[in-house]
Amino acid sequence: MASKRMQSFSRSLKTLRTFNSTSKDPLTQCLAPGLSRSMATETSMPSQVSREYDPTFLQTATDPAFELQDSVLTTIYKFPTMEPLRFESYASKHLHLPLRRDILHRAVIFEGDFTRQGTASTKTRWEIHGSHRKIRPQKGTGMARLGTRQSPMLKGGGKSFGPHPRDFATALPKKMYDLAWRTALSWRYRRGELIVCEDGMDIEHPKTRFARQIFEHNHWGREDGRSLVITGSFKKNLFRALRHAGEDGRVQMVKEVDVKDLLELGRVIIEKRALDEILSQHQSDLVSKVRSAV
């Protein structure tokens, strides 16, 4: 038994010597390849990249391509031929803002609460017409105890805890609401779904068939998510043609549009005059900063 133990010990010692002579880093040799890469990406580091710390890293870490631009360009089209006419420059704080779902959500809820009528009303037992005397004696009739005819337990009586006229409107800061408008336009612009057309958007014939052909040719119809057409003023032929083409989209004047309309359909086809009016009316958070700086 002692000889066998000595042989086993000598083999282990020999293996250990061999391991030490061939390995420079025992930790690297012991770790499995998968375990050693679990805290890194699956892509190997390029050979030309230095692994040493560069003291100028913090100065060069910012990529100029991701910096916020001062202005962005948008193409102005001629409606309905959609011929490109020219480029227009808009400030990045108008059409190139990052997506803020929280602000858009608050704006949509604010608009929905503001449009609720709150006119539902019911009468209490004190508003029901009739005498308020006791219907029958308290005891001696063998029937349940009852008070007045206006009791909510009786047919034709008052309503307990019923609805009454109220205001459902909620509060939202104007600067946040204006930011939501420009965020919605920026979201459409960044996705390529904001189509700006020259002033005077109208069609020659007030026929629904003609409007449907325009939507089908430009891929604006129901199959492509429908479209919202926004004009600065009432256009007789355009409004009449799209009145019965609701399955392909709808047309609204700029004073009728809200944030929900900008987000609801597949794209926004807006007149330049209407776009400029929206941007001028919803920039209170930017005007205050300019005034404070002056």
Side-chain angles (χ1 to χ4, degrees):
M1 292 295 294
S3 61
K4 292 183 178 180
R5 290 179 181 179
M6 290 298 295
Q7 293 176 2
S8 177
F9 177 75
S10 61
R11 286 196 299 267
S12 301
L13 183 60
K14 183 178 180 181
T15 304
L16 183 59
R17 291 175 179 175
T18 305
F19 174 78
N20 292 334
S21 61
T22 58
S23 176
K24 298 182 180 179
D25 189 0
L27 181 60
T28 306
Q29 296 291 332
C30 294
L31 290 178
L35 181 60
S36 61
R37 295 171 57 88
S38 60
M39 299 298 295
T41 58
E42 293 299 327
T43 304
S44 59
M45 183 176 293
S47 57
Q48 65 271 16
V49 178
S50 176
R51 297 176 182 266
E52 298 180 357
Y53 173 73
D54 186 4
T56 62
F57 171 75
L58 296 178
Q59 301 177 3
T60 60
T62 304
D63 189 356
F66 293 94
E67 292 181 355
L68 185 63
Q69 304 176 4
D70 295 335
S71 61
V72 292
L73 293 177
T74 181
T75 308
I76 307 299
Y77 297 93
K78 182 179 180 180
F79 186 87
T81 59
M82 302 311 296
E83 176 186 356
L85 298 179
R86 64 183 186 278
F87 291 103
E88 285 288 340
S89 177
Y90 287 91
S92 58
K93 294 184 179 179
H94 287 170
L95 293 182
H96 205 263
L97 292 174
L99 179 61
R100 289 290 303 274
R101 297 177 184 270
D102 55 338
I103 294 180
L104 294 178
H105 178 264
R106 291 193 60 177
V108 172
I109 296 299
F110 167 74
E111 294 173 347
D113 293 341
F114 186 77
T115 56
R116 296 184 65 178
Q117 295 182 354
T119 56
S121 178
T122 55
K123 292 184 178 181
T124 63
R125 63 186 303 167
W126 307 110
E127 297 172 340
I128 301 296
H129 178 73
S131 175
H132 288 270
R133 70 178 181 86
K134 189 174 176 61
I135 294 180
R136 51 177 176 261
Q138 181 79 356
K139 296 182 179 181
T141 60
M143 303 180 67
R145 297 171 292 183
L146 285 177
T148 63
R149 179 67 66 179
Q150 292 80 8
S151 174
M153 297 184 297
L154 299 179
K155 183 179 180 180
K159 179 69 174 178
S160 297
F161 308 107
H164 297 283
R166 53 167 296 188
D167 184 13
F168 287 94
T170 55
L172 185 67
K174 179 175 175 54
K175 293 183 179 181
M176 184 177 297
Y177 186 55
D178 291 348
L179 180 60
W181 272 88
R182 303 199 314 275
T183 302
L185 291 174
S186 300
W187 181 70
R188 288 297 189 186
Y189 175 82
R190 295 164 71 94
R191 291 170 56 93
E193 298 171 349
L194 181 65
I195 305 173
V196 185
C197 298
E198 183 70 354
D199 296 343
M201 289 176 53
D202 204 354
I203 55 179
E204 298 179 359
H205 306 285
K207 296 182 179 180
T208 304
R209 177 174 56 86
F210 185 65
R212 288 177 177 174
Q213 291 177 356
I214 296 175
F215 274 63
E216 182 180 357
H217 176 74
N218 296 313
H219 302 283
W220 294 346
R222 178 177 55 184
E223 294 79 6
D224 299 284
R226 303 177 67 201
S227 301
L228 172 65
V229 181
I230 304 176
T231 60
S233 59
F234 180 78
K235 303 297 190 298
K236 182 178 179 180
N237 293 343
L238 183 63
F239 275 71
R240 182 177 298 180
L242 294 178
R243 183 180 304 170
H244 304 289
E247 66 274 8
D248 291 326
R250 64 173 183 264
V251 58
Q252 294 178 340
M253 289 187 291
V254 63
K255 61 182 180 181
E256 303 172 344
V257 180
D258 52 19
V259 177
K260 182 181 178 181
D261 295 327
L262 298 177
L263 304 173
E264 189 175 8
L265 301 184
R267 67 195 51 80
V268 176
I269 307 165
I270 187 170
E271 196 175 19
K272 184 181 182 301
R273 169 189 169 187
L275 177 60
D276 295 341
E277 184 176 349
I278 291 176
L279 295 178
S280 63
Q281 292 180 355
H282 300 284
Q283 56 177 352
S284 60
D285 55 326
L286 302 179
V287 174
S288 60
K289 293 181 180 180
V290 174
R291 290 179 179 177
S292 62
V294 174

mmCIF file of all heavy atoms in Angstrom, residues 106-123:
data_model
loop_
_atom_site.group_PDB
_atom_site.id
_atom_site.type_symbol
_atom_site.label_atom_id
_atom_site.label_comp_id
_atom_site.label_asym_id
_atom_site.label_seq_id
_atom_site.Cartn_x
_atom_site.Cartn_y
_atom_site.Cartn_z
ATOM 1 N N ARG A 106 -48.421 62.340 -21.272
ATOM 2 C CA ARG A 106 -49.077 63.356 -20.456
ATOM 3 C C ARG A 106 -49.867 64.336 -21.320
ATOM 4 O O ARG A 106 -50.950 64.784 -20.925
ATOM 5 C CB ARG A 106 -48.045 64.103 -19.617
ATOM 6 C CG ARG A 106 -47.411 63.257 -18.529
ATOM 7 C CD ARG A 106 -46.654 64.103 -17.546
ATOM 8 N NE ARG A 106 -47.502 65.088 -16.886
ATOM 9 C CZ ARG A 106 -47.091 65.910 -15.940
ATOM 10 N NH1 ARG A 106 -45.817 65.875 -15.543
ATOM 11 N NH2 ARG A 106 -47.913 66.769 -15.396
ATOM 12 N N ALA A 107 -49.348 64.658 -22.503
ATOM 13 C CA ALA A 107 -50.062 65.573 -23.389
ATOM 14 C C ALA A 107 -51.346 64.945 -23.925
ATOM 15 O O ALA A 107 -52.393 65.608 -23.998
ATOM 16 C CB ALA A 107 -49.152 65.995 -24.541
ATOM 17 N N VAL A 108 -51.287 63.670 -24.294
ATOM 18 C CA VAL A 108 -52.484 62.998 -24.807
ATOM 19 C C VAL A 108 -53.545 62.874 -23.707
ATOM 20 O O VAL A 108 -54.744 63.089 -23.945
ATOM 21 C CB VAL A 108 -52.113 61.617 -25.385
ATOM 22 C CG1 VAL A 108 -53.359 60.826 -25.735
ATOM 23 C CG2 VAL A 108 -51.227 61.782 -26.615
ATOM 24 N N ILE A 109 -53.133 62.546 -22.484
ATOM 25 C CA ILE A 109 -54.086 62.468 -21.377
ATOM 26 C C ILE A 109 -54.683 63.841 -21.082
ATOM 27 O O ILE A 109 -55.881 63.981 -20.815
ATOM 28 C CB ILE A 109 -53.394 61.890 -20.127
ATOM 29 C CG1 ILE A 109 -52.946 60.449 -20.392
ATOM 30 C CG2 ILE A 109 -54.318 61.943 -18.922
ATOM 31 C CD1 ILE A 109 -54.071 59.492 -20.709
ATOM 32 N N PHE A 110 -53.867 64.867 -21.148
ATOM 33 C CA PHE A 110 -54.339 66.236 -20.909
ATOM 34 C C PHE A 110 -55.396 66.626 -21.936
ATOM 35 O O PHE A 110 -56.434 67.210 -21.588
ATOM 36 C CB PHE A 110 -53.147 67.194 -20.952
ATOM 37 C CG PHE A 110 -53.522 68.638 -21.028
ATOM 38 C CD1 PHE A 110 -54.018 69.301 -19.911
ATOM 39 C CD2 PHE A 110 -53.390 69.339 -22.221
ATOM 40 C CE1 PHE A 110 -54.373 70.637 -19.992
ATOM 41 C CE2 PHE A 110 -53.733 70.667 -22.297
ATOM 42 C CZ PHE A 110 -54.230 71.325 -21.181
ATOM 43 N N GLU A 111 -55.158 66.306 -23.199
ATOM 44 C CA GLU A 111 -56.136 66.638 -24.235
ATOM 45 C C GLU A 111 -57.413 65.810 -24.094
ATOM 46 O O GLU A 111 -58.521 66.324 -24.287
ATOM 47 C CB GLU A 111 -55.517 66.409 -25.613
ATOM 48 C CG GLU A 111 -54.373 67.358 -25.929
ATOM 49 C CD GLU A 111 -53.661 67.004 -27.213
ATOM 50 O OE1 GLU A 111 -53.892 65.879 -27.726
ATOM 51 O OE2 GLU A 111 -52.864 67.819 -27.695
ATOM 52 N N GLY A 112 -57.271 64.534 -23.733
ATOM 53 C CA GLY A 112 -58.460 63.708 -23.545
ATOM 54 C C GLY A 112 -59.315 64.171 -22.383
ATOM 55 O O GLY A 112 -60.554 64.197 -22.479
ATOM 56 N N ASP A 113 -58.678 64.546 -21.281
ATOM 57 C CA ASP A 113 -59.445 65.037 -20.133
ATOM 58 C C ASP A 113 -60.124 66.364 -20.440
ATOM 59 O O ASP A 113 -61.225 66.642 -19.951
ATOM 60 C CB ASP A 113 -58.528 65.192 -18.917
ATOM 61 C CG ASP A 113 -58.026 63.850 -18.411
ATOM 62 O OD1 ASP A 113 -58.642 62.824 -18.744
ATOM 63 O OD2 ASP A 113 -57.009 63.837 -17.686
ATOM 64 N N PHE A 114 -59.468 67.193 -21.241
ATOM 65 C CA PHE A 114 -60.036 68.510 -21.559
ATOM 66 C C PHE A 114 -61.269 68.392 -22.451
ATOM 67 O O PHE A 114 -62.157 69.250 -22.406
ATOM 68 C CB PHE A 114 -58.975 69.377 -22.237
ATOM 69 C CG PHE A 114 -59.417 70.782 -22.480
ATOM 70 C CD1 PHE A 114 -59.452 71.702 -21.454
ATOM 71 C CD2 PHE A 114 -59.801 71.190 -23.755
ATOM 72 C CE1 PHE A 114 -59.864 73.005 -21.668
ATOM 73 C CE2 PHE A 114 -60.218 72.487 -23.985
ATOM 74 C CZ PHE A 114 -60.246 73.403 -22.941
ATOM 75 N N THR A 115 -61.335 67.342 -23.286
ATOM 76 C CA THR A 115 -62.464 67.187 -24.201
ATOM 77 C C THR A 115 -63.661 66.487 -23.558
ATOM 78 O O THR A 115 -64.725 66.437 -24.186
ATOM 79 C CB THR A 115 -62.032 66.398 -25.439
ATOM 80 O OG1 THR A 115 -61.483 65.144 -25.024
ATOM 81 C CG2 THR A 115 -60.987 67.167 -26.230
ATOM 82 N N ARG A 116 -63.505 65.957 -22.359
ATOM 83 C CA ARG A 116 -64.644 65.312 -21.694
ATOM 84 C C ARG A 116 -65.664 66.369 -21.288
ATOM 85 O O ARG A 116 -65.326 67.376 -20.669
ATOM 86 C CB ARG A 116 -64.170 64.535 -20.470
ATOM 87 C CG ARG A 116 -63.248 63.378 -20.801
ATOM 88 C CD ARG A 116 -62.883 62.590 -19.561
ATOM 89 N NE ARG A 116 -64.035 61.939 -18.962
ATOM 90 C CZ ARG A 116 -63.974 61.150 -17.889
ATOM 91 N NH1 ARG A 116 -62.792 60.935 -17.307
ATOM 92 N NH2 ARG A 116 -65.052 60.587 -17.403
ATOM 93 N N GLN A 117 -66.931 66.138 -21.612
ATOM 94 C CA GLN A 117 -67.962 67.133 -21.354
ATOM 95 C C GLN A 117 -68.292 67.235 -19.865
ATOM 96 O O GLN A 117 -68.438 68.326 -19.332
ATOM 97 C CB GLN A 117 -69.221 66.800 -22.145
ATOM 98 C CG GLN A 117 -69.022 66.889 -23.650
ATOM 99 C CD GLN A 117 -70.300 66.607 -24.404
ATOM 100 O OE1 GLN A 117 -71.322 66.239 -23.814
ATOM 101 N NE2 GLN A 117 -70.256 66.752 -25.711
ATOM 102 N N GLY A 118 -68.427 66.110 -19.205
ATOM 103 C CA GLY A 118 -68.770 66.136 -17.792
ATOM 104 C C GLY A 118 -70.162 66.674 -17.527
ATOM 105 O O GLY A 118 -70.395 67.344 -16.510
ATOM 106 N N THR A 119 -71.105 66.400 -18.434
ATOM 107 C CA THR A 119 -72.471 66.912 -18.288
ATOM 108 C C THR A 119 -73.437 65.888 -17.704
ATOM 109 O O THR A 119 -74.626 66.186 -17.581
ATOM 110 C CB THR A 119 -72.999 67.381 -19.647
ATOM 111 O OG1 THR A 119 -72.918 66.300 -20.588
ATOM 112 C CG2 THR A 119 -72.168 68.542 -20.181
ATOM 113 N N ALA A 120 -72.982 64.688 -17.392
ATOM 114 C CA ALA A 120 -73.877 63.679 -16.818
ATOM 115 C C ALA A 120 -74.397 64.161 -15.468
ATOM 116 O O ALA A 120 -73.630 64.639 -14.624
ATOM 117 C CB ALA A 120 -73.152 62.349 -16.667
ATOM 118 N N SER A 121 -75.704 64.038 -15.265
ATOM 119 C CA SER A 121 -76.300 64.565 -14.040
ATOM 120 C C SER A 121 -77.496 63.713 -13.640
ATOM 121 O O SER A 121 -78.292 63.283 -14.491
ATOM 122 C CB SER A 121 -76.743 66.020 -14.237
ATOM 123 O OG SER A 121 -77.353 66.525 -13.068
ATOM 124 N N THR A 122 -77.629 63.449 -12.365
ATOM 125 C CA THR A 122 -78.776 62.739 -11.804
ATOM 126 C C THR A 122 -79.314 63.539 -10.620
ATOM 127 O O THR A 122 -78.616 64.378 -10.048
ATOM 128 C CB THR A 122 -78.385 61.332 -11.331
ATOM 129 O OG1 THR A 122 -77.295 61.439 -10.404
ATOM 130 C CG2 THR A 122 -77.955 60.456 -12.496
ATOM 131 N N LYS A 123 -80.557 63.269 -10.245
ATOM 132 C CA LYS A 123 -81.213 63.986 -9.144
ATOM 133 C C LYS A 123 -81.097 63.199 -7.846
ATOM 134 O O LYS A 123 -81.239 61.967 -7.836
ATOM 135 C CB LYS A 123 -82.690 64.213 -9.468
ATOM 136 C CG LYS A 123 -82.926 65.179 -10.618
ATOM 137 C CD LYS A 123 -84.406 65.426 -10.824
ATOM 138 C CE LYS A 123 -84.630 66.430 -11.949
ATOM 139 N NZ LYS A 123 -86.081 66.703 -12.162
#
